[in-house]
Amino acid sequence: MNYHLRTQAELDASLDQVLAAAPHDVTRSDSWLLVYGSMLEEPPFSPEDRRPATLEGWERVFCLADPKMRGTGRRPGLCLGLVRGHRCRGLAYRLAARTVREDLRRVWEREMLLPFYVPCWLEARTPRGLITALTFCTDPDSPLYEPSLSEPAMIERLARCEGENGSNAEYLDETVRQLAEVGLPDTGLDHLAERVRAVRAARLELR
């Protein structure tokens, strides 16, 4: 698997580029960050506000091979990505202009270490109107992108793979739980989690 972990210098340069490309002056106005997976609870910053947000024309899907956090180089797990599709509901956090770079630097160290994403500014719909939010779109040129993974192959990977942060099944269950707790259940992920739990239970019975 041909990839490398980004250095701190590369992370800082990437963050600088994204902030410079923002549709507003990030030093004067607060910024929005839209999350759809692991940062739904306990993000690595203290937001000024949060609200449900919907991205039309995008959807979350397990499409990124994970050779580190939830898998290994020999048995890569799967991570959620954001690709073109129907709709994706998540949480938008408002980050204060005075701390936005420090806040996002911690996010970058979590989310951008592996070559998974292209950070994008996208329009999102919230209960209080439209916002432009920063979010993490799947990098179509990433060596870890797997766009044609079948559902049976996806279930097999999610059921068996483990990495530095635990099992892939735990990651899926935790995402499902967090989405439900913030009032944004995802029926597709619910169905996937049920099938993964069934596969894992069947394996335990065979032992």
Side-chain angles (χ1 to χ4, degrees), residues 33-40 51-63 80-92 117 122-127 130-131 133-138 171 175 179 182-189:
L33 173 70
L34 191 151
V35 304
Y36 52 86
S38 64
M39 287 185 290
L40 291 162
R51 60 181 76 164
T54 301
L55 292 169
E56 298 290 349
W58 297 86
E59 60 185 280
R60 81 185 122 233
V61 63
F62 282 100
C63 62
L80 283 169
L82 187 68
V83 299
R84 289 288 185 179
H86 180 52
R87 178 181 296 122
C88 179
R89 297 195 299 167
L91 286 181
Y117 305 114
L122 299 177
E123 188 174 86
R125 178 168 43 84
T126 81
L130 293 176
I131 61 171
L134 178 62
T135 194
F136 294 97
C137 300
T138 297
Y171 168 61
T175 302
L179 284 166
V182 298
L184 301 169
D186 184 316
T187 56
L189 287 190

Coordinates of all heavy atoms in Angstrom, one line a residue, residues 33-40 51-63 80-92 117 122-127 130-131 133-138 171 175 179 182-189:
L33 N -17.3 24.4 10.9 CA -16.7 23.1 10.5 C -17.8 22.1 10.6 O -18.4 21.9 11.6 CB -15.6 22.7 11.5 CG -15.0 21.3 11.3 CD1 -14.2 21.2 10.0 CD2 -14.1 21.0 12.5
L34 N -18.0 21.4 9.5 CA -19.1 20.3 9.5 C -18.5 19.0 9.6 O -17.6 18.6 8.8 CB -19.9 20.4 8.2 CG -21.2 19.6 8.1 CD1 -22.2 20.3 7.2 CD2 -20.9 18.2 7.6
V35 N -18.9 18.2 10.6 CA -18.4 16.8 10.8 C -19.5 15.8 10.6 O -20.7 16.1 10.8 CB -17.8 16.7 12.2 CG1 -16.7 17.8 12.4 CG2 -18.8 16.8 13.3
Y36 N -19.1 14.6 10.2 CA -20.1 13.6 9.9 C -19.8 12.2 10.4 O -20.4 11.3 10.1 CB -20.4 13.5 8.4 CG -19.1 13.4 7.5 CD1 -18.6 12.1 7.3 CD2 -18.4 14.5 7.0 CE1 -17.4 11.9 6.5 CE2 -17.3 14.3 6.3 CZ -16.8 13.0 6.0 OH -15.6 12.9 5.3
G37 N -18.7 12.2 11.3 CA -18.3 10.9 11.8 C -17.7 11.0 13.2 O -18.4 11.2 14.1
S38 N -16.4 10.9 13.2 CA -15.7 10.7 14.5 C -15.8 11.9 15.5 O -15.6 11.7 16.7 CB -14.3 10.3 14.3 OG -13.5 11.3 13.7
M39 N -16.0 13.1 15.0 CA -16.0 14.3 15.9 C -17.4 14.7 16.2 O -17.6 15.9 16.7 CB -15.2 15.4 15.2 CG -13.7 15.2 15.2 SD -12.8 16.6 14.6 CE -13.2 16.5 12.8
L40 N -18.4 13.8 16.1 CA -19.8 14.2 16.5 C -19.9 14.4 18.0 O -20.7 15.2 18.5 CB -20.8 13.1 16.1 CG -21.0 13.0 14.6 CD1 -21.6 11.7 14.2 CD2 -21.9 14.2 14.1
R51 N -24.9 23.2 15.4 CA -26.3 23.0 14.9 C -26.3 21.9 13.9 O -25.2 21.6 13.2 CB -26.8 24.3 14.3 CG -26.0 24.9 13.1 CD -26.6 26.2 12.6 NE -26.4 27.3 13.4 CZ -26.5 28.6 13.0 NH1 -27.0 28.8 11.8 NH2 -26.3 29.6 13.8
P52 N -27.4 21.2 13.7 CA -27.5 20.2 12.7 C -27.3 20.8 11.3 O -27.7 22.0 11.1 CB -28.9 19.6 12.8 CG -29.3 20.0 14.2 CD -28.7 21.3 14.5
A53 N -26.6 20.1 10.4 CA -26.4 20.7 9.1 C -26.5 19.6 8.0 O -26.1 18.4 8.3 CB -25.0 21.3 9.0
T54 N -27.0 19.9 6.9 CA -27.2 18.9 5.8 C -26.5 19.4 4.5 O -26.6 20.5 4.1 CB -28.7 18.8 5.5 OG1 -29.4 18.3 6.6 CG2 -28.9 17.7 4.4
L55 N -25.7 18.4 4.0 CA -25.0 18.7 2.7 C -25.8 17.9 1.6 O -26.0 16.7 1.7 CB -23.6 18.1 2.7 CG -22.6 18.8 3.6 CD1 -21.3 17.9 3.7 CD2 -22.2 20.1 3.1
E56 N -26.4 18.7 0.7 CA -27.2 18.1 -0.4 C -26.2 17.7 -1.5 O -25.2 18.4 -1.8 CB -28.2 19.0 -1.0 CG -29.3 19.5 0.0 CD -30.2 18.4 0.4 OE1 -30.2 17.3 -0.3 OE2 -31.0 18.5 1.4
G57 N -26.4 16.5 -2.1 CA -25.5 16.0 -3.1 C -24.3 15.3 -2.7 O -23.4 15.1 -3.5
W58 N -24.2 15.0 -1.4 CA -23.0 14.3 -0.8 C -23.5 13.2 0.1 O -24.6 13.4 0.7 CB -22.1 15.3 -0.1 CG -21.5 16.3 -0.9 CD1 -22.1 17.6 -1.2 CD2 -20.2 16.3 -1.5 NE1 -21.2 18.3 -2.0 CE2 -20.1 17.5 -2.2 CE3 -19.2 15.4 -1.6 CZ2 -18.9 17.8 -3.0 CZ3 -18.1 15.7 -2.3 CH2 -17.9 16.9 -3.0
E59 N -22.7 12.2 0.3 CA -23.1 11.2 1.3 C -21.8 10.6 1.9 O -20.8 10.6 1.3 CB -24.0 10.1 0.7 CG -23.3 9.3 -0.5 CD -24.3 8.3 -1.1 OE1 -24.5 7.3 -0.5 OE2 -24.9 8.7 -2.1
R60 N -22.0 10.1 3.1 CA -20.9 9.4 3.8 C -20.9 8.0 3.5 O -22.0 7.3 3.4 CB -21.0 9.7 5.3 CG -21.9 8.8 6.1 CD -22.0 9.2 7.6 NE -23.4 9.5 7.8 CZ -23.9 10.6 8.4 NH1 -23.0 11.5 8.8 NH2 -25.1 10.8 8.5
V61 N -19.7 7.4 3.3 CA -19.6 6.0 2.9 C -18.3 5.4 3.3 O -17.3 6.2 3.4 CB -19.9 5.8 1.4 CG1 -18.8 6.5 0.6 CG2 -19.9 4.3 1.0
F62 N -18.2 4.2 3.7 CA -16.9 3.5 4.0 C -16.2 3.3 2.7 O -16.5 2.3 2.0 CB -17.1 2.3 4.8 CG -17.4 2.5 6.2 CD1 -18.7 2.4 6.7 CD2 -16.4 2.8 7.1 CE1 -19.0 2.6 8.0 CE2 -16.7 3.0 8.4 CZ -18.0 2.9 8.9
C63 N -15.3 4.1 2.3 CA -14.6 4.0 1.0 C -13.1 4.3 1.1 O -12.4 4.4 0.1 CB -15.2 5.0 0.0 SG -15.1 6.7 0.5
L80 N -14.7 6.2 7.1 CA -15.8 7.0 6.4 C -15.2 8.1 5.5 O -14.3 8.8 6.0 CB -16.8 7.6 7.4 CG -17.8 6.6 8.0 CD1 -18.5 7.3 9.1 CD2 -18.8 6.1 6.9
G81 N -15.7 8.2 4.3 CA -15.4 9.4 3.5 C -16.7 10.1 3.1 O -17.8 9.6 3.3
L82 N -16.5 11.2 2.4 CA -17.6 12.0 1.9 C -17.5 12.0 0.4 O -16.5 12.6 -0.2 CB -17.6 13.4 2.5 CG -18.8 14.3 2.2 CD1 -20.1 13.8 2.9 CD2 -18.5 15.7 2.6
V83 N -18.5 11.5 -0.3 CA -18.5 11.4 -1.8 C -19.8 11.9 -2.4 O -20.7 12.1 -1.6 CB -18.2 9.9 -2.3 CG1 -16.9 9.4 -1.7 CG2 -19.4 9.0 -1.8
R84 N -19.8 12.2 -3.7 CA -21.0 12.6 -4.3 C -22.1 11.6 -4.2 O -21.9 10.4 -4.3 CB -20.7 12.9 -5.8 CG -19.8 14.1 -6.1 CD -20.5 15.4 -5.8 NE -19.7 16.5 -6.2 CZ -20.2 17.8 -6.1 NH1 -21.4 18.0 -5.6 NH2 -19.4 18.8 -6.4
G85 N -23.3 12.1 -3.8 CA -24.4 11.2 -3.6 C -25.7 11.9 -3.3 O -25.9 13.0 -3.9
H86 N -26.5 11.4 -2.4 CA -27.8 11.9 -2.1 C -27.7 13.1 -1.1 O -27.9 14.2 -1.4 CB -28.7 10.8 -1.7 CG -30.1 11.2 -1.3 ND1 -30.9 11.9 -2.2 CD2 -30.9 11.0 -0.2 CE1 -32.1 12.2 -1.7 NE2 -32.1 11.6 -0.5
R87 N -27.5 12.7 0.1 CA -27.5 13.7 1.2 C -26.7 13.2 2.4 O -26.7 12.0 2.7 CB -29.0 13.9 1.6 CG -29.2 14.9 2.8 CD -30.7 15.0 3.1 NE -31.5 15.6 2.0 CZ -32.5 15.0 1.5 NH1 -32.9 13.8 1.9 NH2 -33.1 15.5 0.5
C88 N -26.1 14.1 3.1 CA -25.4 13.8 4.3 C -25.7 14.7 5.4 O -25.6 16.0 5.3 CB -23.8 13.8 4.1 SG -22.9 13.4 5.5
R89 N -26.1 14.2 6.6 CA -26.5 15.0 7.7 C -25.4 14.9 8.8 O -24.9 13.8 9.1 CB -27.8 14.6 8.3 CG -29.0 14.8 7.4 CD -30.3 14.8 8.1 NE -30.5 13.5 8.8 CZ -31.4 13.3 9.7 NH1 -32.2 14.3 10.1 NH2 -31.6 12.1 10.2
G90 N -24.9 16.0 9.3 CA -23.9 16.0 10.3 C -24.1 17.2 11.3 O -25.2 17.8 11.4
L91 N -23.1 17.5 12.0 CA -23.1 18.7 12.9 C -22.1 19.7 12.4 O -21.0 19.4 12.0 CB -22.7 18.3 14.3 CG -23.7 17.5 15.2 CD1 -23.0 17.2 16.5 CD2 -25.0 18.2 15.3
A92 N -22.6 21.0 12.5 CA -21.7 22.1 12.1 C -21.3 22.8 13.4 O -22.2 23.2 14.3 CB -22.4 23.1 11.2
Y117 N -8.3 12.8 2.7 CA -9.3 13.9 2.4 C -8.7 15.1 1.7 O -7.5 15.4 1.8 CB -9.9 14.4 3.7 CG -10.5 13.3 4.6 CD1 -10.0 13.0 5.8 CD2 -11.7 12.6 4.1 CE1 -10.6 12.0 6.6 CE2 -12.3 11.7 4.9 CZ -11.7 11.4 6.2 OH -12.3 10.4 7.0
L122 N -18.1 24.0 1.7 CA -19.3 23.6 1.0 C -20.5 24.3 1.7 O -20.5 24.6 2.9 CB -19.5 22.1 1.1 CG -18.5 21.2 0.4 CD1 -18.9 19.8 0.6 CD2 -18.4 21.5 -1.1
E123 N -21.5 24.6 0.9 CA -22.8 25.2 1.4 C -23.6 24.1 2.1 O -23.7 23.0 1.6 CB -23.6 25.8 0.3 CG -24.8 26.6 0.8 CD -25.4 27.3 -0.4 OE1 -26.3 26.7 -1.0 OE2 -25.1 28.5 -0.6
A124 N -24.1 24.4 3.3 CA -24.9 23.4 4.0 C -26.1 24.1 4.6 O -26.1 25.3 4.8 CB -24.0 22.9 5.2
R125 N -27.2 23.3 4.7 CA -28.5 23.8 5.2 C -28.6 23.5 6.6 O -28.3 22.4 7.1 CB -29.6 23.1 4.4 CG -31.0 23.5 4.8 CD -32.0 23.1 3.8 NE -31.8 21.7 3.3 CZ -32.2 20.6 3.9 NH1 -32.8 20.7 5.1 NH2 -31.9 19.4 3.4
T126 N -29.0 24.5 7.4 CA -29.2 24.3 8.9 C -30.6 24.8 9.2 O -31.2 25.5 8.4 CB -28.1 25.1 9.7 OG1 -28.5 26.4 9.8 CG2 -26.7 24.9 9.1
P127 N -31.1 24.5 10.4 CA -32.4 25.1 10.8 C -32.5 26.6 10.9 O -33.5 27.1 10.9 CB -32.6 24.5 12.2 CG -31.7 23.2 12.3 CD -30.5 23.6 11.4
L130 N -28.7 28.9 5.6 CA -27.6 28.3 4.9 C -26.3 28.9 5.5 O -26.2 30.0 5.9 CB -27.6 28.7 3.4 CG -28.7 28.0 2.5 CD1 -28.7 28.6 1.1 CD2 -28.6 26.5 2.6
I131 N -25.3 28.0 5.5 CA -23.9 28.4 6.0 C -22.9 27.8 5.0 O -23.3 26.9 4.2 CB -23.6 27.9 7.4 CG1 -23.6 26.3 7.4 CG2 -24.5 28.5 8.4 CD1 -23.1 25.7 8.7
A133 N -19.5 25.9 5.2 CA -18.7 25.2 6.2 C -17.6 24.4 5.6 O -17.6 23.9 4.4 CB -19.7 24.2 6.9
L134 N -16.5 24.3 6.4 CA -15.4 23.5 6.0 C -15.7 22.0 6.4 O -16.2 21.7 7.4 CB -14.2 23.9 6.8 CG -12.9 23.2 6.6 CD1 -12.4 23.3 5.2 CD2 -11.8 23.7 7.5
T135 N -15.4 21.1 5.5 CA -15.6 19.7 5.7 C -14.6 18.9 5.0 O -13.8 19.4 4.2 CB -17.0 19.2 5.4 OG1 -17.3 18.0 6.0 CG2 -17.3 19.2 3.9
F136 N -14.6 17.6 5.2 CA -13.6 16.7 4.6 C -14.1 15.8 3.5 O -14.8 14.8 3.8 CB -12.9 15.9 5.8 CG -12.1 16.7 6.7 CD1 -12.7 17.1 7.9 CD2 -10.9 17.1 6.4 CE1 -12.0 17.9 8.8 CE2 -10.2 17.9 7.3 CZ -10.7 18.3 8.5
C137 N -13.9 16.1 2.3 CA -14.3 15.3 1.2 C -13.2 14.3 0.9 O -12.0 14.5 1.0 CB -14.5 16.2 -0.1 SG -15.7 17.5 0.2
T138 N -13.7 13.1 0.4 CA -12.7 12.1 0.0 C -11.8 12.6 -1.1 O -12.3 13.2 -2.1 CB -13.5 10.8 -0.5 OG1 -14.3 10.3 0.7 CG2 -12.6 9.7 -0.9
Y171 N -15.7 1.2 15.7 CA -15.8 2.5 15.1 C -17.1 2.7 14.4 O -17.8 3.7 14.6 CB -14.6 2.6 14.0 CG -14.7 3.7 13.1 CD1 -14.7 5.1 13.5 CD2 -14.8 3.5 11.7 CE1 -14.7 6.1 12.6 CE2 -14.8 4.6 10.8 CZ -14.8 5.9 11.2 OH -14.8 6.9 10.4
T175 N -20.0 5.3 15.7 CA -20.6 6.4 14.8 C -22.1 6.3 14.8 O -22.8 7.3 14.8 CB -20.0 6.2 13.4 OG1 -18.6 6.2 13.4 CG2 -20.5 7.2 12.4
L179 N -24.5 9.4 16.0 CA -25.5 10.0 15.2 C -26.9 9.9 15.8 O -27.7 10.9 15.7 CB -25.5 9.3 13.8 CG -24.3 9.6 12.9 CD1 -24.2 8.6 11.7 CD2 -24.5 11.0 12.3
V182 N -27.3 12.5 18.7 CA -27.4 13.9 18.3 C -28.7 14.1 17.4 O -28.9 15.2 16.9 CB -26.1 14.5 17.6 CG1 -25.0 14.4 18.5 CG2 -25.9 13.7 16.3
G183 N -29.5 13.1 17.3 CA -30.7 13.2 16.6 C -30.6 13.2 15.1 O -31.4 13.7 14.3
L184 N -29.5 12.5 14.6 CA -29.3 12.4 13.1 C -29.0 11.0 12.7 O -28.0 10.6 12.1 CB -28.0 13.3 12.8 CG -28.1 14.8 13.1 CD1 -26.8 15.4 12.9 CD2 -29.2 15.4 12.2
P185 N -30.0 10.1 13.0 CA -29.7 8.7 12.6 C -29.5 8.5 11.1 O -30.1 9.2 10.3 CB -31.0 7.9 13.1 CG -32.0 9.0 13.2 CD -31.3 10.3 13.5
D186 N -28.7 7.5 10.8 CA -28.4 7.1 9.4 C -28.9 5.7 9.2 O -28.2 4.8 9.7 CB -26.9 7.3 9.1 CG -26.5 7.1 7.7 OD1 -27.0 6.1 7.1 OD2 -25.7 7.8 7.2
T187 N -30.0 5.5 8.5 CA -30.5 4.1 8.3 C -29.6 3.2 7.6 O -29.5 2.0 7.8 CB -31.9 4.2 7.6 OG1 -31.7 4.9 6.4 CG2 -32.9 4.9 8.5
G188 N -28.8 3.8 6.6 CA -27.8 3.0 5.9 C -26.8 2.4 6.8 O -26.4 1.2 6.8
L189 N -26.2 3.3 7.7 CA -25.2 2.8 8.6 C -25.8 1.9 9.7 O -25.1 0.9 10.1 CB -24.5 4.0 9.3 CG -23.6 4.8 8.5 CD1 -22.8 5.8 9.4 CD2 -22.6 4.0 7.7

